[in-house]
Amino acid sequence: MTDETPAQRSTIKRRLMRSIGSTLIVAVVMVAGILTWVGNRDAKANLINDLTVIGQIIANRSSTAMFFADFTDKDVIEKNLASAGFHSAIDLICVFDKEGKLYHTFAKPEAHSQCQRQQSSINELNFTEDNKVIRVRVPILHEGEHFGLVEIYSNNHGVNQAFLRFSITLAFALTIALFVAYIVGGRLVGSSLVPLRDLFNTSQEVAASPYANIRANKKSNDEIGDLVDVFNQILDTLETDNAALMESESRFRVLAEHAPIGIFLRNRKLIMEYTNDRWCEITGLTPSQANAFTNNIDPKDAALYESVQDKARSQHTPQVIEYTYTTPQGSRRTLMEHLAPLNNLQGFQGFVGSLLDVTELKTAQMELEKLAFYDPLTDLPNRRFFRGHLELTIAAAKKYDKRLAVMMTDLDDFKKINDTFGHDAGDQLLMQIGKRLKAASASIDVVSRMGGDEFMLLVKNIDSSSQLDHKANNILRALREKMEINGQQVEVGGSIGIAVFPNDAITYEELIRYADIALYNAKSMGGNTVSYYSSDLDKRIKDKMRLEQKLRVALDKRLLEVYIQPIYDAATREMIKGEALVRWMDPEEGFISPEVFVSLAEESGLIYDLGSLVLEKVCAYLHENEGKLHLLGMRTIAVNLSARQFFASQLVTYIEATFKRYQIDPKQIEFELTESMVMDDVDQAIDIMRSIRNLGCSLSIDDFGTGYSSLSYLKQFPINTLKIDRSFIKDIPEDKNDVEIAYTIIAMAHNLGLTVVAEGVETKEQWQLLREKNCDYLQGYYFARPMPMSDVLMLDNVINLLGDGSR
């Protein structure tokens, strides 16, 4: 906007009129100049033409007079010259004879020129102009002979006067034409600008009422009309955009007012210009108090808040900050603010942002972090926490040349507690164990529950081996102390495996693995003891792993063989049945004892595959050789079941399916169970044994007398046979105690309706004594060693005893 008045302001009409006037003036000047030049040229041409004609007339008249010069008077020529002087433009006339001498003259008083005395002759007309004097020279000829020359000198007075008159007339005419053109042009311009003026008036109305439905009227189909169309189109677009903007603004306002997050707007001076209701709820401030918001930010976060604002403003990028805030009502909250700068061509204009109350989220996050790093049952650090802390401790120990140790422990009888008292009691036990381990450890040590009944201890700053021994023994004592569970006193022991940094390992993984190896060794030694990792121990474990891998391959390729050891009637010495025993001949290591690989299969879970291999080979053997075995008297083959096999959920289903596949009568199979195995869970064991008996199979208890079963349990077991363990047979008849034990077992079994098999019979005396004690069946080297299945078919039905009983 300017301060010029309407009279001072330059308008389009004025600019157009100035342009038209300037153009007309230039055109008039150019036309006047051209016409003046043309008029002047024509006037001179007419004057020269008149002088030429007069000169020719004088020359014609003078030629006769000069031809008859001796007879003619000069008065004739003088009269001719005088007659020509009446022409206003002629000042001087000179006549020369044929010798070029001045013959006669005529001059007006005001003439400025004079005739020359001598003049060269010419043969044709010419003229010159010099010093505003026009000279015309005409030759005097008579019948083609030259008799002289006529020179006429003329002034420009007539030409100039004619030119002046012409110029005045022309100027007057052009002035009138210019005036008329200016008046007419002004009106035409004014009428042409009427649509623009209307458009301007419409624009003012639109400016006064921008949202009114106002449009300009199109009055001409020309450029101004096109401008009106564009103007109206712009108004239509603005109306559409404005409607969309108003709708968008309405939606935004509704969204902002009802948004679940706080929304605010600060201007460039950081003064709050807008806050929604949720923002006020979160901050506890009213809109009028909004500018006091930053005063309530926790002082430890205030500097950070200012720096984040400065960063958003300087870098022109949105920022997020989390800080602690105290409401005027005293409630402490954790808020998360998203801050975005507003910028335009003038630079920073303020902030728009949102505010979230993340107090509950932070609380939940802390709980999740606690769940992620702490065991919810014992409230001890978990495996994840222990690993991270151990890695940091290892780094510090490397830097400061310190020693540390990892102790891994688990409970020896935890399963028994769980099975006896229930899982709730087991949880109580774990919580008490966690507290005891914490109490038995130093304050700087870390006690962690790794899962199940397994705990891990990180022992820091070890000065000596005796110090570590002392801590380990304290842990063992803490584990052995009795504790009350559900009103009953229980005692559990524990095993501990220890790996030391940097003696044994320098990484987290190795320390954990080596402590686990040491723990495994401690448990294999009977539990309730401490075992340190060593390279020899590691070698044994690696050998065990190598053997396990070999066993896995051997089972996959079915390289293990099943041997049969016949069992004989003690009285008749007839073959009654046999026991299936698995044998492994490794190509590299030779014969591997079943005591080694069967226990390994049990620990590694390969016992299922091993048991399946034995049962299937026995079933295939029975199916192929049923007639031959019947002739030998071997109507039943006993197959051993391990604890894992026996308590497997699909055992009975698998046995039944195997019998159907090989078309085996279940009476041909007897399953042998160990006494200790069935006592782990008596009720479940009885159910499983009944299911096996329902199939038609018979059952025997192997190694009887080595466990802790009682007669009350024994009479509940649906079994057919008791097998006296070889440990009670090997020293008879010399050891009278073993004789009494064997006799007692035989008598007890017969009273319960069971048959008895004595294992490990190796001498004639043992056979004779057992026969006298009414033992039903005998098994041992005295009668037959375990042999390949094919060798069994070549045996006699009855054993022929030699003098010493050897075979």
Side-chain angles (χ1 to χ4, degrees), residues 122 315 704:
I122 61 172
Q315 297 184 0
F704 186 78

Side-chain angles (χ1 to χ4, degrees), residues 441-508:
S441 304
S443 59
I444 64 170
D445 297 337
V446 177
V447 180
S448 171
R449 184 190 175 201
M450 307 302 281
D453 64 334
E454 184 178 272
F455 293 85
M456 195 85 77
L457 285 82
L458 172 57
V459 183
K460 303 178 182 180
N461 299 339
I462 299 174
D463 297 326
S464 63
S465 299
S466 59
Q467 175 192 5
L468 189 58
D469 290 338
H470 180 71
K471 287 197 173 188
N473 290 325
N474 284 343
I475 298 297
L476 278 183
R477 282 194 295 272
L479 293 176
R480 283 198 301 265
E481 289 180 6
K482 290 185 178 181
M483 59 189 72
E484 185 175 320
I485 300 295
N486 290 343
Q488 298 189 40
Q489 294 290 324
V490 298
E491 182 178 350
V492 293
S495 303
I496 299 176
I498 301 176
V500 180
F501 170 92
N503 305 51
D504 300 328
I506 60 173
T507 65
Y508 162 84

Side-chain angles (χ1 to χ4, degrees), residues 415-647:
K415 186 177 185 303
K416 187 184 297 184
I417 300 296
N418 256 349
D419 294 341
T420 304
F421 298 101
H423 291 285
D424 290 341
D427 289 345
Q428 294 180 31
L429 174 63
L430 291 174
M431 287 189 287
Q432 292 193 40
I433 290 295
K435 292 178 180 178
R436 288 189 177 185
L437 292 176
K438 191 74 175 173
S441 304
S443 59
I444 64 170
D445 297 337
V446 177
V447 180
S448 171
R449 184 190 175 201
M450 307 302 281
D453 64 334
E454 184 178 272
F455 293 85
M456 195 85 77
L457 285 82
L458 172 57
V459 183
K460 303 178 182 180
N461 299 339
I462 299 174
D463 297 326
S464 63
S465 299
S466 59
Q467 175 192 5
L468 189 58
D469 290 338
H470 180 71
K471 287 197 173 188
N473 290 325
N474 284 343
I475 298 297
L476 278 183
R477 282 194 295 272
L479 293 176
R480 283 198 301 265
E481 289 180 6
K482 290 185 178 181
M483 59 189 72
E484 185 175 320
I485 300 295
N486 290 343
Q488 298 189 40
Q489 294 290 324
V490 298
E491 182 178 350
V492 293
S495 303
I496 299 176
I498 301 176
V500 180
F501 170 92
N503 305 51
D504 300 328
I506 60 173
T507 65
Y508 162 84
E509 291 83 1
E510 289 179 335
L511 280 171
I512 297 297
R513 183 162 60 87
Y514 292 169
D516 193 19
I517 290 173
L519 174 62
Y520 175 82
N521 186 60
K523 295 182 73 67
S524 66
M525 291 189 297
N528 199 25
T529 187
V530 177
S531 174
Y532 285 87
Y533 171 81
S534 67
S535 57
D536 291 340
L537 176 62
D538 189 27
K539 183 179 181 303
R540 292 200 302 271
I541 297 299
K542 287 180 179 178
D543 288 342
K544 188 175 182 180
M545 292 176 64
R546 178 180 55 81
L547 189 62
E548 178 185 330
Q549 183 61 29
K550 278 194 169 189
L551 178 60
R552 192 179 304 275
V553 174
L555 288 171
D556 289 341
K557 296 182 178 181
R558 303 182 74 82
L559 298 179
L560 277 71
E561 295 294 335
V562 175
Y563 280 40
I564 301 293
Q565 185 175 26
I567 300 174
Y568 294 89
D569 186 291
T572 65
R573 294 169 295 172
E574 293 181 348
M575 188 185 302
I576 301 299
K577 55 184 176 181
E579 180 181 1
L581 301 170
V582 64
R583 294 294 183 263
W584 182 17
M585 290 294 296
D586 183 72
E588 297 175 352
E589 301 188 29
F591 176 76
I592 300 176
S593 171
E595 294 180 358
V596 173
F597 71 81
V598 171
S599 61
L600 179 62
E602 185 79 32
E603 294 172 8
S604 62
L606 294 174
I607 193 65
Y608 303 108
D609 296 332
L610 180 60
S612 297
L613 180 143
V614 173
L615 180 60
E616 290 176 10
K617 283 198 172 189
V618 169
C619 288
Y621 179 71
L622 288 171
H623 176 73
E624 294 172 0
N625 304 285
E626 182 178 4
K628 295 179 181 180
L629 293 172
H630 183 74
L631 291 175
L632 290 174
M634 187 178 289
R635 296 180 176 86
T636 304
I637 296 179
V639 177
N640 290 279
L641 288 178
S642 71
R644 286 196 176 189
Q645 283 180 284
F646 181 72
F647 287 106

Side-chain angles (χ1 to χ4, degrees), residues 295-310:
N295 298 332
N296 297 337
I297 296 177
D298 194 284
K300 65 183 177 63
D301 295 331
L304 176 62
Y305 186 83
E306 292 293 332
S307 66
V308 169
Q309 277 196 143
D310 293 341

